[in-house]
Amino acid sequence: MYDPTVARLTYRALLGRRRALILFVLPAVLIAISVAVRLLVGADDAVANQVLGGFALATMVPLIGVIAGTGAIGPEIDDGSIVYLLAKPLKRPTIILTKLTVAVGVTMVFSAVPMLIAGFVLNGNSRQIAVAYAVAAVAASVAYSALFLLLGTVSRQAVVFGLVYALIWEALIGSLVPGARTLSVQQWALALAEKTAPGAGIASDVGLPVAAVLLAVVTVAGAWYAGRKLRTLTLAGEE
């Protein structure tokens, strides 16, 4: 269910000059903010929660997910080069799962790792806050990658819809409207962070069992429907 050639092509597409620049800028901004905050405020658990939860998990992680998830397949569909890949003797689920694996890996590297570093910079991992948010970033990376990979297969405006979800739903509505938080990947990931670092001031509006189920459902359903859509694209090309 994993093809090295597809993976190599996907990595090359994701880590091209333009996308790689954006991928590196976001973590660099997080770490720069963390260093500045530590120098100005000192080690403070509440401030660490605000930076890691309010900026990193709410904004940086979904944005990186948009870049990696949609970029793993969207450009190939837009320019028609996906036809050459579909002409190869590869099972469609293999193509999707390989691209999903690459997207997850890229999202984790550019979100969970900087999150962990930023947490140590902010408060030295006091109360396991850095580890907790890194765990949340890992879980969110999987769900976001599946969700945005699906968007890349069903819409030519995947990046636009992804940015709307990341910036408006997750960062704005999901942070301000209580009812909307239940349908937020950010809140599901926060449930894992809350369990990892109890008593650290991390709170989620969703319980851990529900969050785990929803994360799994979004990931599996997203990958399954993306594969189904890819089969439709194959039939259209053959016709």
Side-chain angles (χ1 to χ4, degrees):
M1 301 304 288
Y2 180 87
D3 186 84
T5 301
V6 175
R8 185 172 63 254
L9 293 173
T10 306
Y11 275 118
R12 187 180 300 173
L14 286 179
L15 300 179
R17 188 172 302 174
R18 185 177 300 176
R19 285 192 178 86
L21 178 62
I22 300 174
L23 288 171
F24 278 106
V25 164
L26 291 171
V29 169
L30 171 63
I31 294 175
I33 291 174
S34 301
V35 171
V37 169
R38 179 62 184 265
L39 292 175
L40 293 173
V41 180
D44 187 297
D45 293 348
V47 173
N49 276 324
Q50 291 174 0
V51 173
L52 297 179
F55 169 70
L57 190 63
T59 303
M60 185 191 77
V61 180
L63 283 177
I64 292 175
V66 170
I67 297 169
T70 60
I73 195 170
E76 292 177 290
I77 294 177
D78 290 342
D79 63 20
S81 61
I82 190 69
V83 174
Y84 298 100
L85 182 60
L86 296 177
K88 303 296 182 182
L90 291 171
K91 295 180 180 179
R92 302 306 173 251
T94 298
I95 296 174
I96 288 297
L97 290 179
T98 300
K99 288 183 173 293
L100 177 59
T101 301
V102 172
V104 169
V106 169
T107 307
M108 284 184 181
V109 168
F110 286 94
S111 61
V113 174
M115 185 91 74
L116 185 64
I117 295 172
F120 273 94
V121 170
L122 286 164
N123 72 343
N125 195 36
S126 173
R127 298 188 181 182
Q128 294 293 305
I129 288 177
V131 172
Y133 278 104
V135 169
V138 167
S141 295
V142 177
Y144 283 133
S145 296
L147 178 62
F148 296 131
L149 180 67
L150 171 61
L151 276 179
T153 63
V154 301
S155 173
R156 291 183 177 271
Q157 304 298 325
V159 174
V160 175
F161 290 129
L163 289 174
V164 169
Y165 178 85
L167 296 177
I168 297 181
W169 185 266
E170 290 281 14
L172 183 60
I173 297 177
S175 300
L176 300 177
V177 182
R181 296 173 187 171
T182 307
L183 300 177
S184 168
V185 175
Q186 175 194 352
Q187 292 297 320
W188 306 342
L190 277 175
L192 296 177
E194 182 180 5
K195 180 65 175 180
T196 304
I202 303 173
S204 172
D205 287 1
V206 182
L208 181 59
V210 174
V213 170
L214 290 174
L215 285 168
V217 168
V218 166
T219 302
V220 174
W224 173 80
Y225 194 76
R228 184 182 178 89
K229 178 63 176 177
L230 207 57
R231 291 192 182 94
T232 304
L233 289 175
T234 304
L235 292 175
E238 291 173 352
E239 290 177 357

